[in-house]
Amino acid sequence: MSRICLFPGTFDPITLGHIDIINRSLSLFDKMFIGIGKNANKQPMYSEEQRLEWIKTIYKDEPRVDALIYEGLTVDCCKSVNATYILRGIRYVSDFEYEKVIADMNRSLDHNIETIFLTCAPQFTSIASTLVRDVIRHGGDASSFVPEPVRQSIYGNKQ
């Protein structure tokens, strides 16, 4: 049986912290879907299509990684791709407390889906999409927080 995982999030934009979690977890799974969730409560800075394009570009040479856009329950997205694992990145203890509540809810909705928590590497602890968006929105340079395709898309050839 294949170990298929869904890594859900908004990825607005995808950051080096996300990349760290994805890359370090690849040895755990046969296939990983990065699920760009549509969240009615959030107004994204970048379109779902743009975020999907960034992820597909970053992982174009990694056949174990695919990306999709989904709406609704994460467990329903898992079922649609036959994922039995949900991957979540943890930066701080407060992240764990929040994520555990969601994991418990997902488990009660579908007891066949396990949530796996991976702590991010120390150098990426302070990188959050919310903060990266604030830097970009206010004209700052967020290049050191995002992968090259995102940097190129946002800033062009400027260094």
Side-chain angles (χ1 to χ4, degrees), residues 22-39:
I22 294 164
N23 291 348
R24 289 179 29 240
S25 68
L26 279 176
S27 64
L28 302 173
F29 305 106
D30 301 311
K31 181 76 176 177
M32 175 184 294
F33 290 92
I34 301 170
I36 300 167
K38 290 186 177 188
N39 187 334

Side-chain angles (χ1 to χ4, degrees), residues 77-148:
C77 183
C78 286
K79 290 175 192 172
S80 75
V81 296
N82 296 314
T84 53
Y85 300 95
I86 295 172
L87 176 66
R88 297 301 294 159
I90 302 289
R91 290 175 300 179
Y92 302 106
V93 172
S94 58
D95 286 351
F96 177 75
E97 292 170 352
Y98 173 76
E99 292 293 344
K100 185 184 181 317
V101 172
I102 295 171
D104 290 346
M105 178 59 73
N106 286 335
R107 182 124 175 95
S108 68
L109 292 171
D110 188 328
H111 66 277
N112 295 310
I113 297 173
E114 291 290 347
T115 299
I116 308 293
F117 299 110
L118 207 63
T119 58
C120 74
Q123 66 266 36
F124 301 117
T125 301
S126 64
I127 301 176
S129 292
T130 304
L131 298 175
V132 171
R133 284 193 307 274
D134 284 345
V135 169
I136 294 166
R137 195 175 282 120
H138 292 97
D141 184 2
S143 298
S144 61
F145 309 122
V146 295
E148 183 57 25

